Amino acid sequence: MLSFLNIFRIVAFLEGLSYILLLFVATPIKYIAGNPEYVKLLGMPHGLLFILYLVLAVLIKSDMKWSTKTFSFVLLASIIPFGTFYVERKYLNLVNS
């Protein structure tokens, strides 16, 4: 059975991956090759994953016993490239270790 924590792990990975693809693949193609199709293709899924990441972070905050500082960092990580991967490794893997 999937818990909010496991769903958050999956969403964190997918949000991070979609952000990297958007920033480092789709955007250069848009501006260098003049083809905005990849940005259009990746933009909506990334936006939905971003919102879902934030909502799930709020939902699991108390279960994870995150301080305000840690919670703020978890939220901030969603706008930093590779940030969600760091959150997964640093804050989420400790639960099942």
Side-chain angles (χ1 to χ4, degrees), residues 2-8 11 51-66 71 74-75 92:
L2 287 177
S3 65
F4 279 134
L5 176 60
N6 289 332
I7 294 169
F8 184 70
V11 169
I51 292 168
L52 190 55
Y53 177 91
L54 297 177
V55 168
L56 287 168
V58 170
L59 291 175
I60 69 168
K61 177 186 180 222
S62 61
D63 290 341
M64 298 298 293
K65 296 178 177 66
W66 286 334
F71 179 64
V74 167
L75 295 180
L92 303 178

Side-chain angles (χ1 to χ4, degrees), residues 19-97:
Y19 192 34
I20 289 167
L21 290 173
L22 194 58
L23 284 177
F24 299 115
V25 176
T27 302
I29 289 172
K30 177 180 178 180
Y31 290 106
I32 294 170
N35 183 353
E37 292 304 311
Y38 293 101
V39 171
K40 290 178 184 177
L41 183 67
L42 287 170
M44 180 64 75
H46 169 69
L48 293 173
L49 287 165
F50 173 76
I51 292 168
L52 190 55
Y53 177 91
L54 297 177
V55 168
L56 287 168
V58 170
L59 291 175
I60 69 168
K61 177 186 180 222
S62 61
D63 290 341
M64 298 298 293
K65 296 178 177 66
W66 286 334
S67 67
T68 301
K69 181 180 177 182
T70 300
F71 179 64
S72 298
F73 181 80
V74 167
L75 295 180
L76 181 65
S78 67
I79 61 171
I80 299 170
F82 303 99
T84 59
F85 301 125
Y86 179 80
V87 165
E88 200 279 328
R89 179 166 291 256
K90 170 113 173 140
Y91 298 108
L92 303 178
N93 273 338
L94 299 176
V95 175
N96 289 336
S97 296

